Each structure stands twice: as structure tokens, then as C-alpha cells.
Amino acid sequence: MADKKPHLLLLNSRETPIQWKYKNRMLPPQEEELEEKRDYTQMATRFEASLNRYREEKRSRETARTLQVPAHINYIEIRFQSQFDFSKFGRSYLLDFGLEAVKFTEFNQKIVFSIIDERKFNLFFGKITAFIEFGKGNRTVEYDLRIIFIEDFFLLSSLKIKQYNELKAIIRFSILEGLDNLTTVNLIEQALDVFLQDQTVDYTFDKANNQLEIVQANEELVEKIIDNFDIIYSVTSSLSTVIGPSSFAIPQRSYGFTISNAQEELPLIGIIDTGIDRQTPIISLIVGSIDKTDTDALIDNENHGTAVAALAALGKQPYKVSYRGQLKANAKLLSLKVMNTSPAALSDHTVIGIIREAKANYPAIKLFVLTITYENCKRENETINDYAFQLDKLSYELDILIFICTANNDKAANENNNYNIAYFEEERTNLCTPAESMNNLTVGSCADNLVSGIFNGIANLKEFPSLFTRRHHLDLSKYFSRNKINKHLKKPDVLQAGGDYESFSMFIGTGERATLEVLSSDSTESFYKTAGTSFSTPLAANLAARILGHYPNLKAQSVKALMINSSSEDLISTTDGRHKKIMERVIGYGVPAEDEVLYSTPNRLTFVLEDRIKQKELIAFPIRVPNYLRSVTKNIGLLKVTATLCFSFLPEKDNQLAYCPIFMAFSIFKNKSLTEIQSNYDKARLKRRWTQDGYSTAKPIMYSNVQKISFSISKNEIINEDGIFKVAIHCKINPQMKMNIATIRGQIAKEYEFSLAISIEEKQPDRKLTNKLYAEMVAINQAEALGSIELENDIELEN
């Protein structure tokens, strides 16, 4: 206990920054090379089919228009052979073909263009027709070389816009926006607003986020909007749900515990859910409530929000004492009730609004738990949903961290009869919106049910993912070569205990031995057994609250960096190597090690660096290691270094490749100057390359705002570098980012905040550990304790 020490804020002075020179070392294929490889006959046949289909769909769309709308826009969706180099071709498509790029999908391989100049667009079709003639054998025809980069093209038709199978209570319309036809877009928006006011429907038109939500509309109205108002890109419809695997009541007993520290000042967590019931002992932790259901935020008829809130406030400690006696809370609670039944018609606007209201009323709040998701999983490589986009904006603007569950796959038990990792190969195991949010923290479930003794779940170990958890929907290998896949794009971010299925003869399912015991809002049962990512997520938020309890001044992204930096996949990586790739899409960065995320020790310390960087800038911070390490007997692997960079960003809504428009990369280098790092990179780097590759400008990778590295440092390397290493970071804006309304209004920042967690551990046999690393590192670096450690607030848990 006495060995636990506070983490440190790194204050070493940065070196004078220099401008980073980006060299495009991944050049796109030359047009001449592409020309030699193409089968012109097949291309001509495909183009002719696309042309005929486009013209027929355009006639059908024009015929379907039945309302008097002051303006119309046609859109063409073009699929290219590979990534569309917007920086090179975007302006020429606009000036020569009258086409403005307004939506980038399939990692910029498929682009929706608005047709802003019909005359120029006819010239474009003329070039298509010329190429068709050329491909059929008329070699006297000249064609535009840009045409051969096209795979095929389509009209953005009503059928393509409609992206739902069944109309549910909430209908969401995604709006397209352009700069060159902004006046026309505004005219159509105004006409749509007037039209909706005349209808007997409840709707929200969020023009700032280009989203329209309508409640309880019929099919006829939806089709009329799609057919007549030419600003709609897609229409989706789904309910939101909190329901997971089946739950079981346990024998009736009283709640049996009280909260002993309700009067203390504790971090605040907002529980966006079905309410927190006032009839339970955690009522003393509720500091406020907001209700958006016209019921009562302190009534939980769905028996969900109460369990989530208890786990967020109390964490794992009740499982040590079976929810008996006096318990110390780690957080206080804000009941943010957005649902009264599940599934339900929950507006995205309602969730966004309640978070903003909570932050306005309680400015100190940084943590929220959201275990309500769409009921349908995301399709493979689908773009980030408007809902997740809005949550990312909130996190960036408000310095908050929303803990979002991956959602539960309720069909997993019916579709398996044992623990089958290969099941995660199926698209139906993809996560559900808004779990793809990048600025926030997504949580999946591992099989642990927090009960000591024999593990009764079906998973290989309790750290393994529960079969009902969900995996990342991105499979970058379908669009990028192996050397351009960004391995730092992970969802979920971490796993936490969520319980597991059990074996019952010839089938598996939810039982009483492998599930979690959680607090019930029904006082006649007091507790019930259940499993799901809904309960993993508040446990992760509790860990974040404990971080803020010790270190209250940390930024939200620093909390995220600490959690991910302490996480490990070591115990999960023992699975069959055949399933390694799919496991990476299920487990994220693994399970956080709670002691490591909260404390340093005499032999392991964690620095937190909070700073900012300008675009096209290279910065570096020295880290000094003590001289005594040069005299220890061990050489190889003397120090283990683990570092995680996190930052939030203002997302690009309509550009999948540049959704995260900010590129940052870091690494730890030898004791070299910034000039040497830039000019002689391979000799300056210590172990790892830059965490992600920002060299390609024509066809960049998709950037990640979370990056983690881990490596060892030998005694010889310490001696060679005179005990000094450099943490270097560089930054730029995505070169393929399209100028949009946000950039015109100056919303793109000139510099960008980041958080970096760096753990350094002395790796020797226990009997040889010096117990000096922490003290010596503090003595030779500029650092200060982030806060104080009050050990009595934490109950030690058995492993």
C-alpha cells in the first residue's frame, strides 16, 4: 500500500520547434501506367451501362417530383479505381465538369458530386461517350485521361437514398451541403422547413449538423421528402435499445448496503439511460436529474439505468463484500433520463441536448455513460454515423469523455453452442452506432463476472471477450495495401467485465453462475443477474472517475490516454493464431490494469504530458533516466516503456477518409536534435517508427487520434544516449480535406491539444529491483505530482 505513488505531470521544456517537411514517398500510379493496364473494351461496356442507367434513373426521379420546390439539384455518385486525389483533381472536376464533391465514402474511393453546372456536366458526359467510342475500337477518338480513373457511376436516386428495411418511429435524414451551390441548398432547406410545418409530424431540423429527424412519419411522407427535396443523402430508421441478454432475479434480500461518503466531493458521472430509481441506497449519490421522457428521472421502470449507475459510482468494490455493509463511492451521479421503455423512439437530438444541458448546469462534469445504441449493427466499412459525429463534436467542444458500449449481440447464444472466436468474422457481430465515435471511449465486454473462485463462463479465460460483445466494423484490408493499414484504428478501445454465457448440455445461454449481480430498481428483488456491455461500460467510467478522484485537473483525453496506456491484450493473445486478426477487432487495447492506471510505484512511474502543437510543426521533449541504471547487471530489456497519445478533434462529417482531419504521430528517439530527427530519421529513431504514417499526400491513410507503442530499452542504449531520450511529435492537416463551411468560418484551429501518457518501468527480478526509479526520475526531470493518493478510498480486490 505504501508503495503507491501519484502519477507525474511532465514539465520538461520542449525544444524550439521546427517546421516538419512532409515528403510524399507513396506516389500514386502514373496515368500512363494505368492506361497500359486497362481493358478498354470492358471499361467502355461498363461506362455505357452506367450512362444508360443514369439517364433512365434521372427521368424517373424527375417524374416523381410532385411538389413545387423553388430549386433542384442532381447528384452523381462516382466510384473510382482507387482513392480519389481531391487535392489534385477536385478543382478540375469543379471547373471543367461542373461537379462539386460533397460526400466522400469508401475511404474516398466513392464520391458524391453535386451537379452545379449542367452545361459543363454535359461536357463530362461527352468525354464519357468519347471514351466509349474509343473502347469499342475507334482509336481516332481522343478522350480525357481523367476518365480512366473511374470505375462506374450512378445517379443518387430515391432508391439509393432510402437506406432502411422497415420504417420505425424515428426517421433520420442526412443532409448534403456544398459551397458552390450553397444558395440553392438554402432555398431547398427553407422549402423543406415550410413543408414540414404544414405536416402533422414532430420533427427537429438541425441545420448546424445537417440532420433532420422526424417522429412517427408514414411511408408516403418519407418518400415525398426523398423525391422532392434534393438535399437528402440518406434516410435511416431504427429504434434505440438498452436490452441485452436475458436477466434473472435472485432470491429476495434487502439491499444490505449504505453509502458511507455521500457528503464527500467526488467526480460526477452523467448516466444517460432509463433513470436512476430513488428507492435504492445510491439515491444519496444523485446530485441532480434531467428528464426528457415526461415521466420522472428518479424512477427506473425499465430496471436498467439504476444498475448502470451503481456500477459507475461504486465500480468493482461491492463484489469483494457481496454488496454488504458500508461502501465508499468513487463518483456522484446525474440522472439523465432519455428513455422510459426499451426499445424506444429516441431522438439523437434528445441525447445531444441533454448532454449540453448537463454540462451547462454542472460545468465540472467530464464523464458520461451512454449504454443506449441503435438496434441495428453497422455494415462493414460503413461511414461514421451522424449521431456519432455529433457526439464527437460535443467531446471536442466541451472537454468531456462519453463511455459508449459496443451494444450486445443478442443472437450470439442462439447461433453458437460453444465459445467460437470465428463467430466474430460475421458482419452481424459489428458494433452499433454510436460506438464508432472516435473522440469518446468505446467499451466491450470481457467474460469476467467479478466473482472470485472458479470461472464458470464459456470463454477461454475471464479476460477473453464475451461472445455477445461486438467488434469494429472497419476492415481496412479491403481498401488499403498492407503497408497502408493504420493499426491504431481500434474499436472498442477497452474491455471491462460484463459476464459470460454458460454451457447447458447442448447449448449456451445466460444463467446464474457466469453473470454479473447488479442493483435492481425493484425493491422486491433488490439485485438481479445479467450480462452485457451495458454493464462493462459503467465499470470503465468508474475507473475514469477514480482517476479524476486522484487527479482532478486532468483533461478528458488524458484520462482516456491513461486508461488505454494501462490496458493489455497479453492474456487474450493466447488464442489460436488463425483468429488473431479478428480478435484485434474485438478486444481493442485489452483490459485496463487498474493499479497501473491509478498509481505509480517506486519501480514504475507514469508521466502525463498535456500540451499543444501547430500544424506542420515538429516538437520534442527530453526525458532523462537516472545514472544508477548504468551500473546494474542486467542489460537487455532493462526498462519497459509504454506510451499512448490521445487527442480530440473537430470531425469532418462528409469525408470518411478525413473524418479525423488532424494527423499527429509520435515516437521516442535517441538523444538527437529535432533537425537530426527530421534529416536522418532512421539513425535518430530508437526502437519504433512514427506511430502512423503521414507521408502520402495523394492517397493518405485514415488517421487515428489514439496511438500506443511499447518497447524495451537496454542498459547499453541508456549509456550510448547519456541517459536522455526524446519524445517527438509532428502534426499536419489531412491534405485531402475539402474546404467546407467549417473551414470558411474559421472553425479549424491553428493548433491542437494532445495528451500523452508515458509509463517507464524497471524490469528486473523482484529481488534485484532497486525501488529507486520513481524518486530518481523525479529528481532529474521537471515534474510534479498530479495529485494526492488517498489509499483508504480504494478497497483492494483479489485477482
Side-chain angles (χ1 to χ4, degrees), residues 231-249:
I231 53 173
I232 310 297
Y233 170 68
S234 66
V235 181
T236 57
S237 183
S238 67
L239 296 177
S240 295
T241 180
V242 298
I243 297 299
S246 302
S247 60
F248 297 86

Side-chain angles (χ1 to χ4, degrees), residues 161-196:
I161 292 169
K162 182 179 174 181
Q163 295 183 8
Y164 59 86
N165 295 322
E166 181 184 355
L167 204 60
K168 301 292 181 68
I170 293 285
I171 304 99
R172 300 175 177 90
F173 298 76
S174 182
I175 308 296
L176 286 170
E177 182 180 59
L179 280 177
D180 289 271
N181 61 353
L182 188 57
T183 301
T184 305
V185 169
N186 288 337
L187 282 174
I188 299 173
E189 282 184 350
Q190 293 165 14
L192 177 56
D193 215 355
V194 171
F195 171 76
L196 291 172

Side-chain angles (χ1 to χ4, degrees), residues 597-659:
V597 79
L598 293 170
Y599 316 111
S600 293
T601 70
N603 298 299
R604 187 197 71 245
L605 75 155
T606 296
F607 285 123
V608 175
L609 174 63
E610 295 181 335
D611 212 299
R612 55 182 61 214
I613 185 171
K614 296 177 181 177
Q615 59 171 306
K616 295 185 179 179
E617 191 172 58
L618 174 64
I619 62 175
F621 302 83
I623 293 181
R624 301 172 180 88
V625 296
N627 285 332
Y628 82 85
L629 292 169
R630 307 182 194 197
S631 60
V632 300
T633 57
K634 183 176 182 179
N635 180 18
I636 304 299
L638 177 57
L639 293 179
K640 180 183 178 181
V641 178
T642 307
T644 301
L645 173 76
C646 290
F647 63 93
S648 63
F649 58 89
L650 185 64
E652 285 290 297
K653 176 176 180 287
D654 292 320
N655 192 328
Q656 185 181 23
L657 186 68
Y659 181 81

Side-chain angles (χ1 to χ4, degrees), residues 320 452 462 796-799:
K320 176 67 175 177
S452 59
K462 63 184 181 180
E796 294 297 305
L797 298 176
E798 294 179 359
N799 293 326

Side-chain angles (χ1 to χ4, degrees), residues 365-394:
I365 192 170
K366 288 185 179 179
L367 308 176
F368 293 84
V369 175
L370 179 60
T371 61
I372 300 170
T373 69
Y374 287 3
E375 60 182 353
N376 299 324
C377 71
K378 293 188 71 67
R379 300 188 307 275
E380 203 85 347
N381 291 313
E382 183 182 348
T383 58
I384 291 181
N385 185 274
D386 289 355
Y387 182 23
F389 160 78
Q390 292 181 71
L391 293 176
D392 278 336
K393 282 185 65 179
L394 278 184

Side-chain angles (χ1 to χ4, degrees), residues 82-99:
S82 61
Q83 281 184 44
F84 180 74
D85 185 350
F86 179 79
S87 63
K88 183 176 182 180
F89 296 110
R91 185 163 179 78
S92 70
Y93 264 66
L94 177 64
L95 297 180
D96 298 342
F97 302 152
L99 296 174

